[in-house]
């Protein structure tokens, strides 16, 4: 990674922290109430190191295998580092996710709930769990259908003993995201869930106005994504 590229990441982060603080002020929220999650998927470990050097501690990755290739080596030198899995999670990767991650944001089906509960018992680790809700009920998208979210949250708690900490959504690309953010916030309030992961590079200020506690920013920090690094 060139010095110029690292400087770019540092400047982007500084600008985004300002924009997050301003969005919090406009929403009458404490500036520290929103966590910036730097989404480093497809970007090399050097980009993560540049962000770490600029004071960024919380990262999001879509693929467990890619996260496994980048993050464990960085942890010893960066004890504050936190990793959140934000991509669709296959059941057979649940154990790796529990071993690697501090949060899994994409719990969205009963078999995955069972696999995560089992992995947490075996690993003796309890990453924070968020339920992903398919607020637009898009057939191709991951997430619990909106109408099934209440029942799924109960199932996670009652049948699997999972302490779900919050909700996550990715609104449909062509919709106004605000009704989706509002619906997710309403569902979280109904279940007394503190964490709301919503908002990406293009819409994070609207998400903060709707109560986001975690915004997931990739492009706005690291620039355009390179092609994915092989299967996994
Ligand atoms: C890639 C990704 C992001 C970041 O998207 P940007 O538009 O680059 O900010 C956020 N959330 C999820 C779930 C993603 O897959």
């Amino acid at each position: 990674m060139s010095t110029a590229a690292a400087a770019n990441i540092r400047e982007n982060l500084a600008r985004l922290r300002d924009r997050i603080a301003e969005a919090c002020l406009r929403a009458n929220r404490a500036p520290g109430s929103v966590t910036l999650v730097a989404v480093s998927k497809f970007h090399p470990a050097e980009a993560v190191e540049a962000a770490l050097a600029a004071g960024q501690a919380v990262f999001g990755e879509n693929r467990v295998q890619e996260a496994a290739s980048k993050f464990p080596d960085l942890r010893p030198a960066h004890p504050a580092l936190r990793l959140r899995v934000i991509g669709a999670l296959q059941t057979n990767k649940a154990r790796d996710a529990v071993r690697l991650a501090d949060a899994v944001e994409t719990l969205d089906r009963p078999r995955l709930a069972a696999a995560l509960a089992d992995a947490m018992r075996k690993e003796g680790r309890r990453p924070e769990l968020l339920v992903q809700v398919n607020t637009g009920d898009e057939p191709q998208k991951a997430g619990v259908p909106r109408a099934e979210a209440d029942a799924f949250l109960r199932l996670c708690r009652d049948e699997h003993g999972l302490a779900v900490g919050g909700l996550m959504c990715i609104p449909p690309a062509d919709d106004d995201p605000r009704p989706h953010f509002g619906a997710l916030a309403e569902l979280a309030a109904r279940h007394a869930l503190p964490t709301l992961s919503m908002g990406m590079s293009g819409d994070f200020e609207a998400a903060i106005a709707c109560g986001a506690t975690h915004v997931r920013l990739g492009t706005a920090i690291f620039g355009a994504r390179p092609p994915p690094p092989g299967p996994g």
Side-chain angles (χ1 to χ4, degrees):
M1 162 133 312
S2 71
T3 327
N8 220 359
I9 289 171
R10 186 175 62 241
E11 282 157 24
N12 289 342
L13 280 167
R15 198 154 9 90
L16 289 165
R17 288 185 196 118
D18 285 346
R19 283 176 63 186
I20 289 170
E22 283 159 18
C24 286
L25 274 179
R26 283 196 297 276
N28 279 316
R29 300 183 52 192
S33 63
V34 176
T35 299
L36 166 52
V37 180
V39 178
S40 49
K41 63 171 179 240
F42 307 173
H43 291 282
E46 292 74 35
V48 174
E49 289 188 286
L52 283 163
Q56 177 64 29
V58 185
F59 293 84
E61 283 281 343
N62 283 55
R63 299 174 178 185
V64 169
Q65 218 149 298
E66 186 183 346
S69 78
K70 285 195 258 184
F71 282 84
D73 290 347
L74 296 169
R75 286 214 190 249
H78 302 280
L81 194 160
R82 297 289 179 269
L83 175 64
R84 307 179 71 87
V85 168
I86 62 169
L89 183 59
Q90 290 169 260
T91 306
N92 64 8
K93 301 261 167 62
R95 190 140 180 202
D96 289 337
V98 164
R99 196 179 297 136
L100 270 171
D102 302 290
V104 174
E105 299 201 359
T106 47
L107 169 54
D108 67 351
R109 55 197 193 279
R111 280 195 58 216
L112 184 57
L116 285 168
D118 185 51
M120 285 163 77
R121 264 190 306 274
K122 288 180 175 144
E123 292 293 326
R125 276 194 101 230
R126 295 201 149 262
E128 180 187 10
L129 296 179
L130 308 191
V131 165
Q132 180 177 359
V133 182
N134 187 357
T135 55
D137 288 329
E138 296 172 278
Q140 82 288 4
K141 198 169 264 178
V144 197
R146 206 149 141 173
E148 294 168 24
D150 286 309
F152 182 66
L153 284 163
R154 281 194 297 273
L155 174 128
C156 287
R157 186 191 58 205
D158 298 342
E159 290 198 22
H160 300 292
L162 293 173
V164 171
L167 304 176
M168 178 270 216
C169 77
I170 309 169
D174 300 325
D175 274 16
D176 177 352
R178 285 170 295 187
H180 297 274
F181 296 154
L184 199 72
E186 196 267 334
L187 182 63
R190 198 139 36 85
H191 289 268
L193 301 173
T195 303
L196 267 179
S197 173
M198 55 189 197
M200 311 191 350
S201 291
D203 57 17
F204 69 92
E205 282 147 325
I208 288 170
C210 294
T213 63
H214 290 66
V215 294
R216 308 178 309 267
L217 307 183
T219 314
I221 299 169
F222 298 108
R225 273 184 281 282

